[in-house]
Each structure stands twice: as structure tokens, then as C-alpha cells.
Amino acid sequence: MPRVLLVNDTDKPIAELRQALADAGCEVLEPVATAGLLRAVQEQQPDVVILDVESPSRDTLEQLAIVDRHAPRPVVMFSADGDERLIREALGAGVAAYVVDGLAPGRLAPILRVAMARFEQQAHVRQRVDELEQRLQDRKDIERAKGLLMDRRGMAEAEAYAALRQQAMKQGLKLADVARRILAMADLLG
């Protein structure tokens, strides 16, 4: 049962929306205005955020970007504004689904499922990118440490790599961690 935070800056009544979410098996948290979005996400810890706005403001998009960076979760935005630039900005701020022209309660459950699935895909891609960036950094550190050993100890490349590897096995560390220690010591010693 996903916990859903409703964020609303329109005058439209939300009772029908709340009922549609309850019918879809969601726990609906206390609705908030867009100005309280960031605090509400921090305090209520929803699984999904649904925004119903006439047009997302710069402040709303900034709050969503902060949420996306620090506590990412699926965000569905219903808006009357179909401006392409605005849609791109909303997606860039972490919105998983941007729906123009109307929040029809009957369409809500499939839209939520799509947003949650898209969010999971994005989370998987982010995790993969983070892993690849870490592997690249590890490789750079190993190459720099090898170069340092080659330069300061007069070792051949294979010999420097073998020394790094031997030290990693002896200390029970990853090769990249040994490389970072060597680099840190070299910085310390000048």
C-alpha cells in the first residue's frame, strides 16, 4: 500500500481524488500546498508524491529537485500547462510522469503504476552510473599509484601493478583502496 502525498495549488476539490487513491489501495497522507512540499516530504516520508498544479512554479521545481537529490521518490504532476520547456524542467527536477489537462480519478491507478515503474528504472540507471563512475575513479587511482611507484621506485609497469596487488592481498583491501592510500601518503610526503 503506497503512501501518497497530495500537493495541491488549485481551488479544485480533492475529495474525489482522495477516494480514487483509496480505491486504488493507497494510503493518502494529509494534503499540503506546494509551499510546504519539501517539509511534508521530510516529515511524512511518502512513497509517492502527486502534485496538482495550474503551472509548476520555479519554487516548486526547485523543491522537487532537492527531493530528487536527497530523498528520491516517484513524483506525478498534473498540470494545466503543456509548455514543452516547462515539461522538460519538471522532468529534470525528478517528475516521473507529467500529465496535462486534467486529473481524471479513473486514470490515476495506471498513471501511478507507470510513474513508479519509471522511477524504479531511473533508480536502476542512477545506481549503474554511480557504479561505473566509481570503477572509472578506481582505475584512475590505480593508474596514478602505479605511475607514482614507477617514477619514485624505478619499477616497471607490471612490477608496480604486482606490488600494488601484493599489498592489497596482504592488507585484505581492494586494489583501489591501496592505490588511494599510496596517493594520500605521496601527497603528505610531497
Side-chain angles (χ1 to χ4, degrees), residues 1-2 18-27 105 108-110 112-113:
M1 171 185 280
R18 288 182 74 136
Q19 187 58 51
L21 286 166
D23 292 346
C26 299
E27 177 187 345
L108 194 54
L112 276 178
R113 285 194 298 273

Side-chain angles (χ1 to χ4, degrees), residues 44-76:
Q44 297 185 44
Q45 295 294 311
D47 298 315
V48 179
V49 176
I50 296 177
L51 290 100
D52 186 12
V53 296
E54 287 299 322
S55 181
S57 69
R58 173 70 38 212
D59 184 53
T60 300
L61 294 175
E62 286 174 4
Q63 288 183 70
L64 287 172
I66 292 169
V67 167
D68 191 50
R69 270 193 307 275
H70 299 291
R73 56 196 16 96
V75 176
V76 178

Side-chain angles (χ1 to χ4, degrees), residues 51 56 63 106 108 116 124 130-131 137 144 157 166 190:
L51 290 100
Q63 288 183 70
L108 194 54
M116 291 168 66
H124 178 71
D130 290 346
E131 289 169 3
Q137 186 60 50
R144 285 183 52 220
E157 184 176 0
Q166 182 180 15

